[in-house]
Each structure stands twice: as structure tokens, then as C-alpha cells.
């Protein structure tokens, strides 16, 4: 018996494990559930090892889309993006190896952490630090570089020490005197406004912010991905009077919203020169960007919102409903909504954006995810399509990146299937934006995801031409010299991309066709669907109070 036990112990001490399996186990230990990618030698083995451990691997058609999907899952689940990239073998470095490139150095510019493990034993330590760095402080992407030889290299099992899962991010709170000062500034406001940003959604601050809105009767605006933290149909939401609210508010409280281009940098003429900002952010470096705040509150958005609530619990205060400010905002909302409804009610064909979005809004499930990208498609859709739940809107965001839509939709659908079965994902695409990642329709069909793609097709980028005008142009010159750069092929049948892979497709030109196709699609959950919606090629937004930040001579 002693000899037998000794032999078994010897066998275990000699047991080998590959670098691929160590990577997968290290990720699993850090509670990483989802992996998106495009595999090839040698990273295929990492994906296979992850699946063996029960992790979900979703194979994409394009690496950009894979990264978009992974980043969206990070936002939805609180486990931000970790990029794992294969690189050339260590013993070939500086020799001109296949795809040799200084990946670690390049990624360091754009990520919170970028490193290359020096050995198999080092892998668990690097991955734990990458995950921890991604979720601590302001969340962000991290990069782990894996040399090709580490993937296949074998090492003794008992030489690998896995680091236990990193602790949840510490919750930081603002300094009490600053919270008192912020409450005082709000109480003394004549024309207050709350702006609810993506940071509030990520910190799950919906309960505390909604209570603050209702308890103090404060008007609020959501940023694009702050929509749904407090429902869009809440009586205190002044999204329909956005420009007026920003321009004339004397005190603005920023809940995880940055004063970047989306909020016009906080500067005149979009804001009063004397406006007082109360800025709440988890990132100290963000405080004071572009405008000097009256008060800064550094900390977790949810925790700081609760601190503010405590101040108003101690000394109750409520902004008067009959104030001149509330009257101004409600009048502007009413007039803007009337203009939008008038545009939506037009019977002329082809349809305009507002007609399309009003008919879509009538049928959307209240708990659906809305993903959107495009120019007018995203901007107009954001004003009409309502979000009632937090973290249920995904769009092009701060960088205005086109091509994110299908990756984001796939991410939302994967999370929905796991955590909220039955929820649908509505992905609203401009026809140009759809072209950036349209091949991911095959991915959607391969995994049979609950996604409805709405392609709002105006035959171009911003604007296009109808088929007759297109034909007339081609009669005079070839397309490369006569067709304006923003034009796409008229009446392209994008729905056939979906049917080619086994999903359902509809080509619609009238409100009735749109209503019927969307109704059928929402009732039939067996397959994904694409509805190709033809609109007037010259359709545009209603008149705006201000130009967009980048002007054009066209």
C-alpha cells in the first residue's frame, strides 16, 4: 500500500498542463463568464479550454465586433473588458516573426493595464491584476499579451498557483462637508437641473437617484446611456426640452456625466456663463474638466447619491411645482413634442424618421434592450424610443463609433438569455452603420439570438438619392465621378442578408407594413429578424436650436 500511494503521488507531481488551460482557469477563477473572439492559431486552444470549463465562447466574424460585444457585456455585468491577444513566440522577438508588433506598448496608451506574462506560472497573476484593474476606480479595458509558445507549452500542474478572485471594487464616498455644500447649492437654485450619466447606470444608482428626483421634485435629463436610470416617461424628465434646460439652468448636478462634446463642454452659449455645476464622479481627474465646478463630490455615484439623500432627509426641501422654471420647461416640451408628432403623422411616402420611430415605439416591449447607431437614426431615435429600465440602452457613446451596433446587440442578447429569458433586443441601425458589421448577422443566426434588427434605410450616409435620381446620374458619368460621397445603392435589400442565414426578413415601405412586420416579429421568438425600412432619402431632423458641434459647408 505505501508503495502504491507513493506512485500515485509521483504521477500527480508529474502531471502537465498547457498554457491555454492555465489561461482559461485563471479567467474562470476571476469569475469571467463570457468570451468573444475570432480564433486562429494559437488562440483556438484558449477558446476550447474555456469551453471545457463551462465558459461561454461566442465566435464572431470580425475582431472589432468581438471587442464591442465584450465591452458591452462588461458594462451590463460589471466585469469590464479584458483583451487577450496572441503574439509572436518569445524566442523570435526582434527577428521579424510572423505578425511581430509591440502590442503591449501600443495597448498601454489605450488601456488601464497592459502586460505580457513571462512564464506559464506568471499567467494567473497577470490575469488577476488585469481584471482587478479593469473594475477598480473608473472601469476600463485592460490588455494581456500571450506569446504563441506559452499557449502550447506544458508545465507541471503543481507549479501553477492560481490567485483567488479579486475583491469587489471598494465603494468610495464623498467628504461630508462637500456633500453639505452640494445640498445647500441645490436648495438655493432658482432653476435646477440633474443630468444622469452612464456612470450612474454603471453604479446601479437608479433607486437613490429616482428617490432624490421625486423627493425634491427636480427636473432631470439623461445622457444617451443614462436613459432608463429614471424612466424616460417619468413626469420630471425634461428630455423633450433638452436645449432649453441646459441653456437656462442656474445649478446643474452631474451624476456620472462628463462635460465633453455630448454635453457641449459645459460652455456658453449652450449654458449660462454663471451656471454652477455640482460634479459627482468616481474619477478625480474628471473633476473640473472644461468648467470649474461649484462643488466636487468624488466617489461612487450610488453611494454619493445616498449621501445627498441623507441631507434632504434631515432637512426636507422640495422644489416648487408652480415655479416659473417648471412652467418654462413644460411649455418647451409641449411645443417640441407637437412638432415631432406633426412630423410623425405625415402620410406621404416614403416615410420620414419620425413616422418610423413613432410606429416602432407603439409596439416595443417595456423591458426590451434598445441598441442604436447611425447619424440621424441614432439621434432622432433617442428622442422618440423610450427606455424604462437602467442599462437597457447601448449606443455609439462618447467616441461616436460606427460599427458597434451588432456587437452590442449580440452582447445584450447573450446576457438576456442567461439572466432575463424572454427579453428582446431591438437593434436600430442606419443603413450605413449596418454596413460596418453586417456580417455579424450570421453570428446572430448561428446562436439563434432574440434580436430584431431595424435598418432605417435612406440610401446613404446622412442623406441619399432615390432610384430614379441615381439612374439619371449614371446616364451622364460613371459612379466614381458623379455619385456624391454620401450616397449608397438605392433600395438595397438588407433583409436578404438575414434570410440568407435562416432568419426572417422584411422589406417595408409603408406604416402598415412596418406595424405588421414588427408585430409578427415580436410574436415569433423562434428566429432573429431584420426589417429593412425604406424612408425618404432626404429625410432629416426637425429644426434645432443650435448647430451640431462640427459644422459643414454642405
Amino acid at each position: 500500500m505505501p508503495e502504491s500511494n507513493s506512485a500515485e503521488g509521483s504521477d500527480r507531481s508529474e502531471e502537465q498542463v498547457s498554457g491555454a488551460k492555465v489561461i482559461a482557469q485563471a479567467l474562470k477563477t476571476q469569475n469571467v463568464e463570457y468570451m468573444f473572439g475570432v480564433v486562429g492559431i494559437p488562440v483556438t486552444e484558449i477558446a476550447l479550454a474555456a469551453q471545457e470549463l463551462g465558459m461561454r465562447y461566442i465566435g464572431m466574424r470580425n475582431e472589432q465586433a468581438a471587442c464591442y460585444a465584450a465591452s458591452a457585456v462588461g458594462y451590463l455585468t460589471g466585469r469590464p473588458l479584458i483583451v487577450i491577444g496572441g503574439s509572436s513566440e518569445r524566442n523570435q522577438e526582434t527577428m521579424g516573426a510572423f505578425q511581430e508588433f509591440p502590442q503591449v506598448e501600443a495597448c498601454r496608451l489605450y488601456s488601464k493595464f497592459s502586460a505580457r506574462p513571462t512564464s506559464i506560472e506568471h499567467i494567473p497573476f497577470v490575469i488577476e491584476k488585469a481584471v482587478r484593474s479593469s473594475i477598480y476606480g473608473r472601469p476600463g479595458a485592460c490588455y494581456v499579451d500571450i506569446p504563441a509558445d506559452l499557449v502550447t507549452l506544458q508545465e507541471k500542474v503543481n507549479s501553477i498557483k492560481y490567485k483567488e478572485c479579486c475583491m469587489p471594487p471598494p465603494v468610495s464616498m464623498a467628504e461630508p462637508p462637500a456633500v453639505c455644500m452640494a445640498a445647500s447649492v441645490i436648495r438655493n437654485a432658482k432653476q435646477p437641473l440633474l443630468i444622469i450619466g452612464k456612470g450612474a447606470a454603471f453604479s446601479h444608482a437608479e433607486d437613490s437617484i429616482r428617490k432624490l428626483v421625486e423627493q425634491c421634485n427636480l427636473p432631470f435629463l439623461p445622457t444617451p446611456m443614462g436613459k432608463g436610470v429614471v424612466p424616460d416617461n417619468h413626469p420630471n424628465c425634461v428630455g423633450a426640452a433638452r436645449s432649453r434646460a441646459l441653456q437656462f439652468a442656474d445649478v446643474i448636478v452631474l451624476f456620472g456625466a462628463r462635460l465633453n462634446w455630448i454635453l457641449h463642454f459645459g460652455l456658453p452659449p449652450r449654458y449660462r456663463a454663471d451656471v454652477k455645476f455640482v460634479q459627482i464622479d468616481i474619477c478625480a481627474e474628471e473633476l473640473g474638466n472644461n468648467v470649474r465646478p461649484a462643488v466636487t463630490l468624488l466617489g461612487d455615484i450610488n453611494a454619493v447619491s445616498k449621501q445627498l439623500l441623507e441631507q434632504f432627509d434631515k432637512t426636507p426641501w422640495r422644489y416648487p411645482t408652480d415655479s416659473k422654471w417648471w412652467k418654462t420647461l413644460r411649455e418647451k416640451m409641449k411645443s417640441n413634442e407637437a412638432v415631432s408628432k406633426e412630423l410623425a403623422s405625415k402620410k406621404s411616402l416614403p416615410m420620414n424618421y419620425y413616422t418610423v420611430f413613432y410606429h416602432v415605439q407603439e409596439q416595443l416591449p417595456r423591458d426590451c434592450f434598445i441598441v442604436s447607431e447611425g447619424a440621424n437614426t441614432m439621434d432622432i431615435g433617442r428622442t422618440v424610443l423610450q427606455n424604462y429600465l437602467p442599462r437597457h440602452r447601448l449606443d455609439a457613446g462618447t467616441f461616436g463609433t460606427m460599427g458597434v451596433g451588432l456587437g452590442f446587440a449580440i452582447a445584450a442578447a447573450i446576457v438576456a438569455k442567461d439572466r432575463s429569458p424572454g427579453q428582446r433586443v431591438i437593434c436600430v441601425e442606419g443603413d450605413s452603420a449596418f454596413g460596418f458589421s453586417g456580417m455579424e448577422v450570421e453570428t446572430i443566426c448561428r446562436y439563434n439570438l432574440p434580436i430584431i434588427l431595424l435598418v432605417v434605410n435612406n440610401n446613404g450616409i446622412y442623406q441619399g438619392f432615390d432610384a430614379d435620381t441615381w439612374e439619371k446620374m449614371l446616364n451622364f458619368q460613371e459612379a466614381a465621378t458623379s455619385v456624391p460621397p454620401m450616397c449608397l445603392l438605392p433600395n438595397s435589400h438588407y433583409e436578404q442578408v438575414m434570410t440568407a442565414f435562416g432568419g426572417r426578413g422584411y422589406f417595408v415601405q409603408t406604416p402598415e407594413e412596418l406595424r405588421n412586420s414588427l408585430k409578427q416579429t415580436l410574436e415569433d421568438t423562434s428566429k432573429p429578424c431584420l426589417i429593412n425600412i425604406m424612408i425618404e432619402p432626404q429625410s432629416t431632423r426637425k429644426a434645432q436650436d443650435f448647430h451640431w458641434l462640427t459644422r459643414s459647408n454642405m
Side-chain angles (χ1 to χ4, degrees), residues 181-417:
M181 185 182 298
S184 175
V185 169
I186 294 169
R187 290 177 197 276
N188 290 314
K190 300 291 188 291
Q191 297 178 174
L193 178 68
L194 309 184
I195 298 181
I196 302 171
K198 178 182 176 181
F202 189 80
S203 72
H204 290 245
E206 51 267 20
D207 292 341
S208 54
I209 291 178
R210 181 167 185 167
K211 186 175 179 183
L212 183 66
V213 164
E214 294 175 349
Q215 185 169 320
C216 297
N217 192 37
L218 293 166
F220 74 90
L221 279 175
T223 64
M225 285 179 63
K227 282 166 66 71
V229 170
V230 181
D232 283 345
N233 64 344
H234 192 284
N236 288 42
C237 180
V238 294
R242 181 180 186 274
S243 292
R244 187 64 51 90
L246 295 178
Q247 190 177 10
F248 294 106
D250 66 343
V251 170
I252 296 177
V253 186
L254 300 168
F255 289 90
R258 290 183 274 184
L259 288 176
N260 55 19
W261 69 272
I262 292 177
L263 289 176
H264 320 292
F265 312 109
L267 299 173
R270 302 301 297 262
Y271 294 81
R272 290 169 49 150
D274 62 348
V275 62
K276 294 180 180 179
F277 285 101
V278 175
Q279 192 170 7
I280 308 171
D281 207 286
I282 198 170
C283 178
E285 290 80 2
E286 193 62 45
L287 301 172
N289 273 352
N290 298 322
V291 177
R292 182 183 178 89
V295 186
T296 59
L297 300 175
L298 177 63
D300 174 80
I301 308 300
N302 188 32
V304 175
S305 300
K306 290 177 179 177
Q307 287 181 282
L308 274 174
L309 268 173
E310 289 174 3
Q311 293 296 314
F312 292 107
D313 285 338
K314 290 177 186 174
T315 310
W317 172 83
R318 185 172 175 81
Y319 186 69
T321 303
D322 59 354
S323 67
K324 185 178 178 182
W325 180 230
W326 261 124
K327 183 181 178 183
T328 299
L329 292 174
R330 289 190 176 115
E331 286 176 352
K332 186 60 175 176
M333 288 171 64
K334 187 176 180 180
S335 65
N336 281 348
E337 287 167 354
V339 172
S340 296
K341 286 178 181 177
E342 182 182 358
L343 287 167
S345 66
K346 288 187 179 296
K347 305 296 184 184
S348 58
L349 295 176
M351 296 179 283
N352 64 51
Y353 285 104
Y354 292 89
T355 302
V356 168
F357 289 131
Y358 271 92
H359 284 294
V360 170
Q361 171 60 29
E362 284 179 351
Q363 295 194 55
L364 284 190
R366 291 178 66 87
D367 65 349
C368 72
F369 287 89
I370 298 176
V371 179
S372 185
E373 65 170 332
N376 288 330
T377 298
M378 183 171 67
D379 293 339
I380 299 171
R382 183 170 56 240
T383 66
V384 180
L385 303 180
Q386 303 284 289
N387 285 92
Y388 306 105
L389 298 173
R391 296 168 297 282
H392 276 60
R393 180 181 172 84
L394 299 165
D395 69 17
T398 303
F399 290 107
T401 308
M402 292 298 100
V404 299
L406 272 68
F408 281 5
I410 289 166
I414 292 289
V415 172
K417 284 185 79 170

Side-chain angles (χ1 to χ4, degrees), residues 34-39 57-73 81-83 403-404 406-408 410-411 437 440 443:
Y34 304 95
M35 183 181 287
F36 299 82
V38 178
V39 295
Y57 174 80
I58 296 90
M60 307 288 284
R61 298 301 296 264
N62 179 279
E63 289 164 328
Q64 286 174 283
C67 215
Y68 296 146
S71 68
V73 163
L81 175 64
I82 306 296
V83 178
V404 299
L406 272 68
F408 281 5
I410 289 166
S437 56
E440 297 303 335
T443 310

Side-chain angles (χ1 to χ4, degrees), residues 9 58 92 124 137 158 162 250 254 269 272 295 304 339 358 393 405 420 436 445 457 469 476 479 536 545 552:
I58 296 90
Q92 296 176 355
N158 60 10
Y162 294 98
D250 66 343
L254 300 168
R272 290 169 49 150
V295 186
V304 175
V339 172
Y358 271 92
R393 180 181 172 84
S420 308
F436 281 78
C445 290
N457 189 348
T469 306
F476 293 101
E536 166 57 49
D545 291 340
S552 172

Side-chain angles (χ1 to χ4, degrees), residues 18-24 26-27 35 40-46 82-90 93 98-99 101 103-104 107 113-120 122-127 130 143-153:
S18 70
K21 292 191 174 182
V22 172
I23 293 165
L27 290 167
M35 183 181 287
I41 296 173
V43 296
T44 304
E45 295 180 40
I46 299 174
I82 306 296
V83 178
I84 295 179
S87 60
S88 54
E89 296 189 13
R90 291 170 297 172
E93 200 165 336
F98 175 63
Q99 297 184 342
F101 187 79
Q103 294 168 199
V104 173
C107 290
F113 173 76
S114 180
R116 178 191 240 200
T118 55
S119 64
I120 290 183
H122 192 213
I123 288 170
F125 293 88
V126 171
I127 286 179
Y143 176 71
V144 178
D145 193 67
I146 304 294
D149 54 309
L150 275 193
V151 176
T152 55
L153 196 65

Side-chain angles (χ1 to χ4, degrees), residues 529-543:
C529 171
L530 190 154
I531 304 176
N532 186 10
I533 308 166
M534 300 307 302
I535 67 167
E536 166 57 49
Q538 299 294 305
S539 180
T540 187
R541 300 180 70 180
K542 66 180 178 66

Side-chain angles (χ1 to χ4, degrees), residues 5-54:
N5 286 339
S6 175
E8 288 177 8
S10 175
D11 288 343
R12 282 195 297 271
S13 67
E14 296 300 319
E15 188 179 345
Q16 302 275 302
V17 64
S18 70
K21 292 191 174 182
V22 172
I23 293 165
Q25 184 59 62
L27 290 167
K28 180 79 171 178
T29 303
Q30 298 305 318
N31 289 339
V32 174
E33 300 177 69
Y34 304 95
M35 183 181 287
F36 299 82
V38 178
V39 295
I41 296 173
V43 296
T44 304
E45 295 180 40
I46 299 174
L48 290 169
Q51 286 182 317
E52 287 178 11
L53 293 174

